[in-house]
Amino acid sequence: MRKMRSVLCLLLLCCSAAFVAAQRSSNVTSKWKTLSGDAPKVIARGGFSGLLPDSSFNAYMLAKTISSADWVAWCDVQLTKDGVGICFPDIKLNNASDIDLLFQNKNNNYSVNGIPQTGWFSIDFNIKDLAPVSLIQGVYSRSPRFDGTPQQILTVQDVATQVKPPGLWLNIQHDSFYRQHNLSMRSFVISLSRSVIANYISSPEVNFLQSIASRLNLRVTKRVFRFLNKDDIEPSTSQTYGSLVKNLTFIKTFAAGILVPKDYIWPTDSSLYLLPHTSVVSDAHNEGLEIYAADFVNDAPFAYNYSYDPVAEYLSFIDNGEFSVDGVLSDFPMSPSASVDCFSHLGENDNPQVKLQIIAPQGASGDYPGCTDLAYTKAASDGADILGCPVQMTKDGIPFCLGSINLIDTTTAAQSPFSDIATTVPELQIKDGILTINLTWSDIQTLKPAISTRYSDFRLSRNPKARNDGNFMSLADFLTFSKKANVSGVVISIENAAYLAKQGLGVTDAVSDALSTAGYNNQTARKVMIQSNDSSVLEEFKKSSYELVYLVDEDISDIKNSTLLEIKTFAKSVVITKKSVFPSEDAFIIGQTNVVQKLQSANLPVYVRLFNNEFISQAWDFFSDSSAELNNYVLGAGVDGLVTEYPGTAARYRRNRCLAYKNLPPYMSPVQPGSLLGLMTLQSMPPVEPPSPVLDVSDVTEPPLPPIAKIKPSNDNGSTARAPTTAPNGQSSVVASILMSSVAILLAIFMV
């Protein structure tokens, strides 16, 4: 009954009623560069091990439910003391089970491939001993909340008869270790073949694959030689795997294919950037060998070239115009399933399959410093519809684009001579900040932009080679650029207008003047959106033809009808947060609000922010896949637009062919909100948090903006601080600044 309940929960993950288990959408027009010409295989390592305990029943069933119809179940075979083959990801059972708690004194020491190891080994337990042992998550960075649900260790026969995968892959990693302890993997595999069809058998040991050749039907079971790290020694030949890969003619004598770490194909440099691809795929195909790529995970850093987009990585292995591997081994089989069927062989000019606005509020700020010419250029080429300019003001009244009024957040100001003018502004909740309004436009142009470090606490950096690349853009320059770019419009974001007015700076007037000067006030070719979280700002533009966008920057659980009516008096559309659509607790979706439906019923289009590719930004329910997250907001919630720092990912999603299928495949069906909670025990569920507030009329009404204060000009000719220049005596002006500060301190002491 426990397993049946789990299966029912898993089946609810795909809320599409049209799901047909046997269906795999055909892509008849594609020309695959695999050895056979067929689409690449999706191999699920231990099932859906990226989320659930590796090799557990639930992990295999989730893979079956949400992967392509011809998916292949991967089983790492270990042998018990009585010779039973089990599916377990490691030779040491304590690495992914609770065996160390049940058998505290049965750990042992063994040499594995010449390396001493301590742990709980399968060879010390009969299969009956393992009955009470439960599988748990073996990767510490993944959620342990499914560990409370008992998941027995499965035998190979269990996987074949209970899961019934369309393909079964047995990986024999440690044949020589088991032989040393009088257990025979060869005998087990031969005996198993009488009752179970294994479509693939892989091993990193030459002798093992050679030993089973005469006893297997090679038309049914493919032998695959698994390559390990290039410097590792293959025990049968005493050669490194790096040398063996240069002799594929020899590999062909005992194998039908090879399985290689993905860096054998696309190596990276020490900075984690891609190097040119190797010839190993074409070399293998020229020898008549299939080639499979391993080590795909969505929730770990991979080459920066992919912008944290797992689909982009898969496509580089299966659809790059030059070659395609014959299959991929992944902990997240949904992603390669969608990559093969939905995203492969798409053209940049393919028509969108869904009506969706893609808004890049600071350009492609996931790849370049936000609000720079490079970020805007890439966003436009990636397919963004709307480019955004968050307007800040300089001391000399120049409006320009930058993500924050605090220069420390988005520039190198903290490392500049301007660091001595840091200030605290409680009204803006800024402590020790360097405000744009304290520098002139020429001062700011001496700084360098800085790429966002949004997820640096998780060691997820963005494009380090370009961390300070690009040029700042004034609002006038941005508007000129956007007119020439292949985009449909702009969104001008205005914040802190009341504070700026008190400082003598009229940001709304500056924006209005810039739009008029650029000719945006009397044209219809480009959409102009004015966005603010302050209704009084939008009131200033009510007489214009611009689309006024109200930003609800706090998470909300609902919105009152009276609030809807009030918003309609000053806005034409609304931006809300992701959690205002799918609330979550401890990164697990707990439900879905009706906020989107309420806003749309009031004829207010809904845009949702802020989407990023980094897996840490997504709920577990979206499987660490940015495309899966977008899909849930578009198909599952019906939003009108996405606000994203990675517009290329959203633009590709919008073109994917699966959106046009009559019956959505499971890997392109929205996730049922809260379904993952059904796989947890009550004790393992995330703690219940208070719901987000309901948006009230008082939350959206603001007093009118104050009049622009008249500030007397300072005596420094318009500059509070100067950029470093060379003084006549050859000393940097920063030295002069230090000397002046010292004089000021001395004067203050004497005056006291």
Side-chain angles (χ1 to χ4, degrees):
M1 288 297 295
R2 170 175 58 81
K3 286 184 177 179
M4 182 59 68
R5 287 196 297 270
S6 295
V7 173
L8 290 175
C9 291
L10 288 165
L11 293 177
L12 287 174
L13 281 167
C14 297
C15 64
S16 172
F19 167 61
V20 180
Q23 174 186 339
R24 179 181 182 181
S25 308
S26 61
N27 185 2
V28 296
T29 61
S30 299
K31 294 182 179 180
W32 293 103
K33 295 183 180 294
T34 55
L35 183 64
S36 65
D38 296 331
K41 291 289 186 182
V42 173
I43 307 146
R45 195 187 69 82
F48 211 118
S49 55
L51 183 68
L52 302 173
D54 194 313
S55 304
S56 66
F57 181 80
N58 281 355
Y60 282 120
M61 288 305 296
L62 178 56
K64 181 177 182 177
T65 303
I66 208 167
S67 302
S68 56
D70 61 349
W71 72 288
V72 179
W74 169 281
C75 167
D76 280 297
V77 182
Q78 316 297 338
L79 290 180
T80 62
K81 186 176 183 179
D82 48 350
V84 176
I86 60 173
C87 295
F88 197 86
D90 193 89
I91 197 168
K92 294 192 295 185
L93 299 181
N94 54 298
N95 282 354
S97 80
D98 61 0
I99 194 169
D100 54 329
L101 302 177
L102 298 175
F103 300 96
Q104 295 184 12
N105 299 318
K106 292 206 68 175
N107 59 319
N108 216 329
N109 302 308
Y110 291 109
S111 175
V112 181
N113 294 334
I115 301 174
Q117 296 195 30
T118 300
W120 282 254
F121 292 80
S122 61
I123 61 174
D124 293 326
F125 301 89
N126 291 322
I127 188 63
K128 289 184 179 179
D129 299 330
L130 299 179
V133 176
S134 185
L135 296 165
I136 62 174
Q137 181 55 257
V139 179
Y140 296 139
S141 61
R142 294 171 178 170
S143 176
R145 293 199 176 276
F146 303 104
D147 293 354
T149 303
Q151 290 282 285
Q152 291 181 334
I153 293 176
L154 301 178
T155 66
V156 177
Q157 287 89 341
D158 289 337
V159 174
T161 59
Q162 296 179 25
V163 179
K164 298 179 180 179
L168 179 61
W169 187 308
L170 304 182
N171 181 56
I172 313 299
Q173 193 74 7
H174 299 288
D175 172 60
S176 55
F177 171 80
Y178 290 106
R179 280 192 287 108
Q180 292 169 9
H181 298 277
N182 299 317
L183 290 168
S184 174
M185 275 289 186
R186 178 178 183 274
S187 297
F188 168 75
V189 168
I190 293 171
S191 175
L192 179 76
S193 66
R194 301 187 184 104
S195 58
V196 172
I197 295 177
N199 305 88
Y200 304 86
I201 295 179
S202 63
S203 176
E205 299 182 17
V206 171
N207 280 351
F208 174 75
L209 291 177
Q210 290 176 331
S211 72
I212 62 174
S214 62
R215 303 298 300 272
L216 296 178
N217 185 344
L218 301 184
R219 290 177 295 180
V220 174
T221 302
K222 295 180 180 180
R223 291 173 297 162
V224 179
F225 182 62
R226 185 178 191 183
F227 284 83
L228 304 182
N229 294 329
K230 290 184 178 181
D231 293 332
D232 290 346
I233 303 295
E234 194 283 317
S236 309
T237 62
S238 297
Q239 296 184 49
T240 64
Y241 290 97
S243 62
L244 284 172
V245 78
K246 300 174 183 177
N247 190 5
L248 295 181
T249 301
F250 167 64
I251 305 298
K252 178 62 176 174
T253 63
F254 60 85
I258 60 175
L259 172 66
V260 300
K262 61 185 182 182
D263 63 3
Y264 272 52
I265 301 170
W266 281 105
T268 58
D269 62 19
S270 59
S271 299
L272 210 57
Y273 284 91
L274 288 178
L275 296 171
H277 67 76
T278 69
S279 62
V280 66
V281 176
S282 59
D283 292 345
H285 286 170
N286 289 339
E287 290 289 344
L289 289 166
E290 293 182 330
I291 179 168
Y292 301 87
D295 302 337
F296 288 93
V297 294
N298 293 3
D299 58 348
F302 38 91
Y304 290 116
N305 309 67
Y306 301 125
S307 301
Y308 292 101
D309 182 352
V311 171
E313 182 181 34
Y314 287 114
L315 291 176
S316 75
F317 284 83
I318 65 173
D319 179 26
N320 58 40
E322 296 186 44
F323 62 80
S324 172
V325 297
D326 299 279
V328 292
L329 175 62
S330 174
D331 289 17
F332 295 83
M334 185 194 72
S335 298
S337 297
S339 299
V340 170
D341 190 21
C342 306
F343 296 108
S344 63
H345 305 108
L346 290 180
E348 292 186 1
N349 296 322
D350 286 359
N351 292 326
Q353 302 297 329
V354 64
K355 186 177 180 181
L356 181 69
Q357 288 279 300
I358 298 173
I359 303 171
Q362 299 182 41
S365 49
D367 295 304
Y368 292 101
C371 299
T372 60
D373 55 340
L374 294 179
Y376 289 130
T377 299
K378 182 164 177 43
S381 65
D382 281 350
D385 299 307
I386 307 293
L387 298 181
C389 172
V391 174
Q392 311 301 334
M393 298 294 291
T394 66
K395 183 176 182 179
D396 47 348
I398 304 297
F400 73 107
C401 305
L402 199 66
S404 172
I405 192 175
N406 184 1
L407 290 165
I408 291 178
D409 294 339
T410 51
T411 75
T412 57
Q415 293 79 44
S416 76
F418 304 126
S419 60
D420 60 356
I421 61 169
T423 185
T424 295
V425 185
E427 183 177 346
L428 302 181
Q429 298 180 333
I430 292 175
K431 183 179 180 181
D432 296 329
I434 303 175
L435 304 190
T436 63
I437 61 173
N438 290 332
L439 276 72
T440 65
W441 177 231
S442 60
D443 290 334
I444 289 171
Q445 288 178 299
T446 66
L447 303 174
K448 290 183 178 181
I451 201 166
S452 170
T453 57
R454 191 181 300 274
Y455 303 109
S456 58
D457 289 346
F458 301 93
R459 298 184 179 180
L460 299 177
S461 301
R462 291 179 170 179
N463 195 8
K465 286 186 177 180
R467 63 165 57 94
N468 298 122
D469 289 356
N471 299 305
F472 300 115
M473 297 186 77
S474 68
L475 177 57
D477 291 338
F478 168 79
L479 293 174
T480 300
F481 171 87
S482 299
K483 269 192 172 182
K484 299 177 182 178
N486 186 27
V487 295
S488 59
V490 297
V491 55
I492 310 300
S493 301
I494 302 175
E495 296 182 2
N496 309 315
Y499 173 80
L500 292 172
K502 298 173 187 176
Q503 311 308 311
L505 296 167
V507 62
T508 57
D509 289 342
V511 168
S512 182
D513 292 344
L515 287 168
S516 297
T517 301
Y520 279 81
N521 62 327
N522 55 7
Q523 55 84 48
T524 57
R526 294 281 194 278
K527 176 189 285 191
V528 177
M529 306 165 76
I530 305 294
Q531 174 184 295
S532 181
N533 60 358
D534 187 337
S535 59
S536 61
V537 169
L538 300 182
E539 291 282 358
E540 295 289 317
F541 292 90
K542 283 186 68 173
K543 295 181 179 180
S544 72
S545 59
Y546 308 143
E547 179 179 336
L548 306 184
V549 186
Y550 183 59
L551 170 63
V552 182
D553 49 12
E554 301 293 333
D555 299 333
I556 60 174
S557 61
D558 201 351
I559 182 169
K560 293 182 178 180
N561 290 334
S562 56
T563 309
L564 288 172
L565 294 175
E566 179 63 24
I567 291 175
K568 285 179 67 68
T569 65
F570 59 80
K572 299 176 182 178
S573 57
V574 178
V575 173
I576 59 176
T577 65
K578 294 194 296 185
K579 281 192 174 183
S580 297
V581 182
F582 293 113
S584 63
E585 293 176 356
D586 194 29
F588 284 97
I589 300 297
I590 59 173
Q592 182 173 351
T593 72
N594 62 355
V595 171
V596 173
Q597 290 75 13
K598 278 193 170 183
L599 288 166
Q600 290 175 338
S601 66
N603 293 319
L604 290 168
V606 180
Y607 311 116
V608 178
R609 67 183 296 271
L610 179 68
F611 290 92
N612 286 296
N613 285 357
E614 289 90 346
F615 59 88
I616 200 69
S617 70
Q618 301 145 16
W620 295 107
D621 305 65
F622 304 138
F623 310 116
S624 302
D625 186 331
S626 49
S627 296
E629 182 184 38
L630 299 178
N631 188 57
N632 276 267
Y633 282 86
V634 176
L635 296 188
V639 303
D640 298 285
L642 305 170
V643 184
T644 174
E645 295 194 89
Y646 293 92
T649 300
R652 188 194 58 222
Y653 163 78
R654 186 171 57 181
R655 300 194 310 272
N656 92 75
R657 68 175 61 83
C658 290
L659 295 175
Y661 292 161
K662 182 177 181 181
N663 293 329
L664 285 174
Y667 35 83
M668 195 50 63
S669 298
V671 173
Q672 183 69 24
S675 56
L676 288 184
L677 301 178
L679 298 176
M680 305 175 191
T681 61
L682 288 175
Q683 295 79 7
S684 299
M685 287 188 178
V688 178
E689 300 174 0
S692 298
V694 177
L695 193 65
D696 190 79
V697 171
S698 60
D699 298 319
V700 303
T701 53
E702 303 284 350
L705 292 178
I708 309 301
K710 295 182 178 180
I711 306 296
K712 291 183 179 180
S714 60
N715 296 324
D716 59 1
N717 296 321
S719 179
T720 300
R722 291 292 181 186
T725 56
T726 303
N729 61 2
Q731 293 182 321
S732 169
S733 62
V734 69
V735 177
S737 177
I738 294 172
L739 291 173
M740 290 295 292
S741 299
S742 301
V743 172
I745 293 172
L746 289 172
L747 287 173
I749 293 173
F750 290 135
M751 290 177 69
V752 173

